[in-house]
Amino acid sequence: TMGLAHLSCLVRQAEASVNEFEDQGTGEGFAKWVKCFDCGQDFHGVVKVALGWACWKMYLGRPVGSEAYICAIGALGNAIQSARPEEALPVLEA
């Protein structure tokens, strides 16, 4: 099934999920950056890449080695790897 959503709405939902997890220890945490909250399917294609970049941008300022930093670089690296594998290695090595 193909649904439509605004990228900015997906980003806000993912950010809220991470905030809930960090503040209260509940919720899905970083899962909403990679998986649809409605149907449970993994994002793919340009949406996956756009969310990967948005996640990286959101948590870029976190300390290197923190859970948020590691999850963000992982989301970006995996998104690029699925769309443009030849460009993913530098991101995944970071």
Side-chain angles (χ1 to χ4, degrees), residues 7-92:
L7 181 61
S8 60
C9 294
L10 296 174
V11 169
R12 277 195 308 273
Q13 290 170 355
E15 181 185 16
S17 180
V18 171
N19 289 342
E20 178 185 348
F21 185 77
E22 289 179 336
D23 294 344
Q24 301 169 11
T26 59
E28 299 178 52
F30 277 87
K32 286 191 178 180
W33 284 105
V34 295
K35 189 177 288 197
C36 177
F37 72 94
D38 191 34
C39 70
Q41 294 182 39
D42 287 346
F43 294 115
H44 54 88
V46 295
V47 173
K48 183 176 183 175
V49 174
L51 284 171
W53 279 111
C55 184
W56 172 241
K57 183 179 174 184
M58 181 77 60
Y59 301 105
L60 173 62
R62 297 284 182 98
V64 174
S66 68
E67 181 180 3
Y69 185 93
I70 291 168
C71 288
I73 195 75
L76 176 58
N78 289 330
I80 293 173
Q81 184 176 24
S82 67
R84 302 180 72 135
E86 68 281 0
E87 296 176 9
L89 189 57
V91 175
L92 293 170

